Amino acid sequence: MGSGQKPANLTMQDGKGNQQRVWDKLRECQGRISSNLISRKTGIHYRTVKRYMISLKKEGYLEQVGMYFGEPLYNLVKDSGVDFPKIIVGKKESYKETAKEIMWRGVRILGEFSAIDLVSLADVSTPIKLSTAQRFIKHLNRAGYFDLVGKPRPGTLSRYRLRRAMNAGPKTPIVQCGGQVFDPNFGKVFYPVLSD
């Protein structure tokens, strides 16, 4: 958290981060769109919107079609669907699914799993270490996401099952400082319950 970024639960609204909210407005507003307009409609700081829109232009999603009082006007020319283009502002677009996204999808699909099962979901471009899978499971388990399936035998890893009530959607829960988990599907924070 030392990067100066606010925790996800403080920047998200309705389970959506800034880039998703900007993208939704860009898709909603047809025609000549400015950073100022999107900033006003979303309540997101103007410079944040402007930086993201410049990145979208560089990647070919937006096309500049004019100026209005020194402000560039854009048209959306490449609509990639409801999910926002994952662009690191100021860098080339290079989105690949993160290890946590892969593990969360696996947890939702597999039903019953262990850390080894989550590691096996990795591909060459996104490897998952056993320790990463174990940490992911530990934090979500402490926040009440899983039920333990049986007692682990010596030399084997524990097996878990996602609780139905915690399977609210495809967006990956975000582990924050202190082990609290922000779930963008619920739009709320789940705090760890530490057992004795």
Side-chain angles (χ1 to χ4, degrees):
M1 193 98 92
S3 66
Q5 289 185 325
K6 293 179 185 175
N9 59 302
L10 298 181
T11 60
M12 289 190 160
Q13 289 181 2
D14 299 325
K16 297 178 180 181
N18 286 344
Q19 290 183 348
Q20 183 66 56
R21 290 171 41 224
V22 168
W23 182 249
D24 290 347
K25 276 300 170 206
L26 286 169
R27 294 184 76 228
E28 181 184 304
C29 300
Q30 295 299 315
R32 301 158 67 86
I33 311 161
S34 70
S35 301
N36 188 26
L37 173 71
I38 299 298
S39 176
R40 283 186 287 123
K41 287 189 175 278
T42 60
I44 300 170
H45 194 279
Y46 170 76
R47 283 185 300 209
T48 302
V49 172
K50 183 177 179 179
R51 278 194 306 268
Y52 185 54
M53 287 179 67
I54 288 170
S55 295
L56 288 170
K57 179 181 178 260
K58 286 180 183 173
E59 294 301 321
Y61 290 92
L62 298 177
E63 174 182 66
Q64 187 172 337
V65 293
M67 296 288 283
Y68 183 74
F69 290 102
E71 175 87 16
L73 297 173
Y74 301 102
N75 278 342
L76 181 63
V77 292
K78 182 174 151 187
D79 189 342
S80 61
V82 294
D83 289 330
F84 69 97
K86 315 282 193 299
I87 296 174
I88 299 170
V89 176
K91 298 193 176 173
K92 290 288 279 173
E93 177 181 17
S94 60
Y95 180 72
K96 64 177 183 176
E97 211 172 20
T98 67
K100 288 178 183 167
E101 288 170 330
I102 292 169
M103 290 188 291
W104 177 244
R105 187 185 59 221
V107 161
R108 294 181 71 228
I109 293 170
L110 292 173
E112 190 178 302
F113 61 90
S114 71
I116 287 288
D117 296 323
L118 298 184
V119 169
S120 70
L121 299 171
D123 61 22
V124 176
S125 65
T126 310
I128 300 173
K129 294 180 184 175
L130 180 59
S131 60
T132 302
Q134 289 171 321
R135 239 183 349 268
F136 181 78
I137 291 170
K138 176 183 81 173
H139 287 297
L140 268 59
N141 188 44
R142 286 183 177 170
Y145 278 76
F146 307 134
D147 288 320
L148 187 62
V149 178
K151 292 199 177 216
R153 293 184 307 263
T156 64
L157 294 173
S158 299
R159 296 193 64 76
Y160 299 89
R161 182 178 300 120
L162 178 63
R163 291 180 177 163
R164 271 202 178 116
M166 300 308 285
N167 189 1
K171 295 179 182 169
T172 306
I174 301 163
V175 178
Q176 299 177 317
C177 290
Q180 67 189 34
V181 177
F182 173 68
D183 193 321
N185 302 296
F186 288 105
K188 69 184 231 181
V189 174
F190 293 92
Y191 295 93
V193 178
L194 303 174
S195 57
D196 297 329

